[in-house]
Amino acid sequence: MYSDQINELFSAQLKEWKLARLNYSQLEKVRTRRFSFSTFEVLVQYNPERIRSSAAKVDSKSIGERPCFLCAKNRPHEQRGVNYENRLTILVNPFPIFSRHLTVPADLHTDQRIKSNFDTMLSLAEAMPLYTVFYNGPQCGASAPDHLHFQAGNLGFMPIEDDFRKGRHATLLASEQGIEIWIWKDYLRGIITLKGNNRKSLVRVFENFFNGFSKIQPDRPEPMLNIITGYSTKEWIIHLIPRKQHRPSHFFATGSDHLMVSPAAVDLGGVIITPREEDFKRITQNDIENIFQQVCFEENELTGLLNEII
Ligand SMILES: [Zn+2]
C-alpha cells in the first residue's frame, strides 16, 4: 500500500515547496458552477493555474523544442517523489484540480502510449485505492505526449464515479467470469465501462477494444482515448472514453465565441476546467453539450466498437 507514503509526501511537499503550498491553498477558494442536466450534473471549475495545460502546445515541433518537465533532470529542485516499482515516480502535481492531485511519470522518457501500459495502470489503481487514476492520450489532453505518465486525484471527485455507482446511466451489456462490460446512455458522452476483478480478462478485453478502435483511427499515434480507473472492494472500474477530437471549435474561435476549454479525462469525468474567468462566467449548458458532442463519440456510434470487444 502506498497510501501512507503518499500522505507523507503531501505533508512534506506542502511544507517545503512554496509553489505547491500556494496552489493547494488557493484551491480551497476555487469557484465552481453546477449545471444540472436531466439526471446528472456537470461542474465547471475556475482554475487559472491550469492555463499551462489547457493552452499547452502539443505539436511535435513545440514538444521537441522544450525541456521535458516530467524528466527527473528537469523537475523543480523542490519536487520529490515516491518510487513505484522502479518504473514510475509518484509526484505531487503543483497545479492541482483535486485537493490531492498526483502526476505519475515513467522513470524513462518514453512516448505516452496506453496499449502496453494498461496493465500498469491497473496495478497503480490497485496500489492507491484512495485515488482515481486517469490517463490522457497523446492527443487527448496530455500536456507531455512524449513522456508516459498517469495522473491521480482523490476518489469520488469526478461525478462520473458516483453516476456509475447509482446505476442510472450505464447498462450491463455482457458479463463473463470476473468481468462486466457496461455501456452508457443519455449521458451526452459515449462511454464504455469495464468492471471486474479478473485482471487478465480486463487486459484482454481492453486490447480487443483498442485494436478495434485503432481500425477507426488508423492515422493516429494511438486511438484517441481518456481512461478513468478506480479500484475498490477488490475490483476495478474502468471508464473508457473514446475521442473524436482533441479540442472543440470553441477553443479555436475568436472573439466572443472563444472558450479556452481543452477537454481531458477530468472534464469528461464531469468537471470542466476553465482557466480564464471570462470563460467560467460565460460558459452555458448549451456550450457544455456542444463541447461533449464534438469531442466524444455518440452513444450509438460505439455499437460497432462493442462488437469487437465481446
Ligand atoms: Zn521526459
Side-chain angles (χ1 to χ4, degrees), residues 44-45 53-55 243 246-252 258-264 267-268 271-276 279-280 283 287-288 291-292 295:
V44 177
Q45 183 188 94
S53 179
S54 297
R243 298 281 299 270
H246 175 206
R247 285 164 168 158
S249 57
H250 306 72
F251 183 90
F252 304 100
H258 175 63
L259 286 176
M260 190 175 283
V261 171
S262 185
D267 307 74
L268 300 177
V271 185
I272 292 180
I273 306 301
T274 51
R276 303 189 322 159
D279 300 331
F280 172 73
I283 194 167
D287 290 326
I288 294 172
I291 288 167
F292 284 162
V295 303

Side-chain angles (χ1 to χ4, degrees), residues 217-255:
Q217 297 182 342
D219 302 327
R220 302 277 181 182
E222 72 175 18
M224 294 175 78
L225 194 58
N226 298 107
I227 306 176
I228 298 172
T229 303
Y231 182 86
S232 64
T233 57
K234 296 193 174 161
E235 60 180 14
W236 287 272
I237 293 178
I238 305 153
H239 305 298
L240 305 172
I241 313 175
R243 298 281 299 270
K244 276 183 173 169
Q245 262 196 74
H246 175 206
R247 285 164 168 158
S249 57
H250 306 72
F251 183 90
F252 304 100
T254 49

Side-chain angles (χ1 to χ4, degrees), residues 68-71 108-110 146-147:
C68 173
F69 60 90
L70 291 181
C71 277
L108 295 175
H109 181 88
T110 174
D146 56 338
H147 193 131

